[in-house]
Amino acid sequence: MNYSKYWALLGAFIVTLLLAGCASKEVNIVYPDWFHNARDDSRHFYAASVGHSKEEATIVALNEIASRVSVNTQSSFVSSTATTNEQGKAKRYDKNTNRQIRNQTKKIEFASYEILKTKKLQNDQYAVLISVDREANAKQMLEKISTKLTKLEQSTKQKNAIMSLKIQKQAKIELQEKLLPSFFIASSIYSSNNGLLDRINALQESIEKYKNKTKFYLQSDANNQEYANILLDYLNSQGYVVELGLQKNKLHILRTNKEQKIKSASNFVIKSTINIAIKEGNKSLKNSSVIASGISLSSYEQARSFAVGDFRKKLGEYLDL
C-alpha cells in the first residue's frame, strides 16, 4: 500500500476543510456613509476610525487628527523658511524648533472634541466619527503659552547681571524648544492674531541685546597663562565681549591659580586650583573653583598639559555663563 499517497490525499482534504471553514466565517462589513465622507472645515477637524471598542476607535481618530496637524504645522513652518519679517528685520528661529514641533504633535491632547456618530460593525468592532473644535483647542493652547511667556518675561528681570544672564539663557531654551513650537501648532489648528508671536520675538531680541551689550574685563595673574587663554576663548565662544585689564567699577573677572606638583610612585602629578571670581564694583556676583589635574609617566610638563586640557573640559560646567 502506498502510504505516502494516502497521507498526501488526507492532507489536501484537511486543507480544503480549513479553507472552507474560513470562507464560511468571512463577514461582509458594511461601513456607514459618514465613515467615508468626513471632511475638515474652518471650525472643526473630523476623523472616522475603527476599533475593538468605542474608546479605542476614538483614540485612533484623535491620533489621526494629531498626525494631520503635525504635517500641516511642519509644512507652514518650512514654507516660511523658519523666518518671518517684522518691521524690516528677519526673525530666525532655532533649527531645533522644527524637531520640537514633531515631538510635541506626537503628544498633543485635544481637550475639546465630540463623538458625533458610532456604529457597531458586523465583525463586532466599532466605527466612530469625531469632531475636534479647532478654535477652542487653539485658544486653550495659546492661553497656556501666554501664561508661561509672562513668567519668562518677569523672570529675566534681575539686578544681578550674572543671574540675569543665566536665567535668560534658560529662557531662550524654553522659548525655542517649548513655546515657539506650541505657538506654531496652535496657529496651525486655528489661526489667531493675538500678538503672542510678537511677544516671543521681542523677548528673544531682548535676550540677545542684553547678552551682546554685556562686556567682561578679564584680569589674570601671570602664572600659567594657558588657563587665562582658555577662559578668554570660552567667553568669546559664548558670544561675550571681553577686554583684558581690570575695571573695578565694571563687570570684571579675576582669575587666580594655585598649582601643586606631586610625585606619586613613578607618576608626575599636577593639581591646579583655578579660582574665578566675577564682580561688579565691589559686589561679588559669582565665585567658581575648578580643580584640574594631570598625570604623566614622563614629566611635570606633560602632566601640566593634561591638567590644562582637564580645565578646558570642566570650565563650561563650572562657570555656566
Side-chain angles (χ1 to χ4, degrees), residues 201-237:
N201 285 333
L203 182 55
Q204 287 197 113
E205 189 174 303
S206 172
I207 290 171
E208 288 302 315
K209 282 183 177 180
Y210 187 88
K211 184 176 181 179
N212 292 337
K213 74 177 183 179
T214 299
K215 178 186 282 190
F216 289 103
Y217 291 88
L218 177 59
Q219 176 70 29
S220 181
D221 63 20
N223 297 327
N224 299 320
Q225 194 61 30
E226 303 103 313
Y227 295 110
N229 293 336
I230 291 171
L231 178 55
L232 182 61
D233 289 343
Y234 169 78
L235 292 169
N236 286 330
S237 71

Side-chain angles (χ1 to χ4, degrees), residues 106-301:
K106 290 177 183 177
K107 303 174 184 177
I108 192 170
E109 294 183 3
F110 296 107
S112 181
Y113 67 89
E114 183 181 358
I115 300 175
L116 300 177
K117 295 181 182 294
T118 62
K119 181 176 174 61
K120 190 173 184 179
L121 303 175
Q122 289 81 354
N123 60 355
D124 290 334
Q125 289 191 328
Y126 288 87
V128 169
L129 174 66
I130 69 167
S131 71
V132 168
D133 189 317
R134 300 174 69 154
E135 184 178 9
N137 280 279
K139 184 178 179 182
Q140 185 179 67
M141 291 179 68
L142 292 171
E143 286 175 350
K144 289 181 179 178
I145 295 169
S146 180
T147 300
K148 290 180 180 179
L149 183 57
T150 299
K151 290 181 180 179
L152 286 181
E153 289 168 337
Q154 294 171 347
S155 69
T156 55
K157 299 172 183 177
Q158 301 286 330
K159 291 182 179 180
N160 184 317
I162 301 304
M163 182 63 70
S164 185
L165 285 170
K166 186 173 182 178
I167 290 176
Q168 289 189 27
K169 182 179 180 180
Q170 295 169 345
K172 184 177 180 180
I173 295 172
E174 181 87 4
L175 286 170
Q176 293 181 342
E177 295 191 359
K178 294 183 180 179
L179 268 62
L180 262 175
S182 295
F183 172 81
F184 285 118
I185 293 168
S187 297
S188 176
I189 293 173
Y190 188 83
S191 181
S192 173
N193 183 16
N194 56 9
L196 266 181
L197 185 58
D198 290 340
R199 286 176 60 195
I200 292 173
N201 285 333
L203 182 55
Q204 287 197 113
E205 189 174 303
S206 172
I207 290 171
E208 288 302 315
K209 282 183 177 180
Y210 187 88
K211 184 176 181 179
N212 292 337
K213 74 177 183 179
T214 299
K215 178 186 282 190
F216 289 103
Y217 291 88
L218 177 59
Q219 176 70 29
S220 181
D221 63 20
N223 297 327
N224 299 320
Q225 194 61 30
E226 303 103 313
Y227 295 110
N229 293 336
I230 291 171
L231 178 55
L232 182 61
D233 289 343
Y234 169 78
L235 292 169
N236 286 330
S237 71
Q238 297 300 308
Y240 295 112
V241 178
V242 184
E243 285 191 15
L244 299 179
L246 183 60
Q247 294 279 345
K248 284 192 174 181
N249 60 326
K250 303 288 186 179
L251 196 61
H252 59 276
I253 301 176
L254 301 174
R255 183 202 69 86
T256 57
N257 180 69
K258 181 180 180 182
E259 182 180 279
Q260 290 178 280
K261 292 181 178 180
I262 305 169
K263 190 71 170 69
S264 174
S266 58
N267 295 321
F268 296 88
V269 180
I270 291 289
K271 181 180 179 182
S272 290
T273 303
I274 302 96
N275 296 308
I276 302 170
I278 304 178
K279 296 184 176 183
E280 192 168 26
N282 294 320
K283 183 179 180 182
S284 179
L285 302 180
K286 184 179 179 69
N287 290 290
S288 300
S289 291
V290 183
I291 297 176
S293 59
I295 303 175
S296 171
L297 292 172
S298 58
S299 66
Y300 284 120
E301 287 72 18

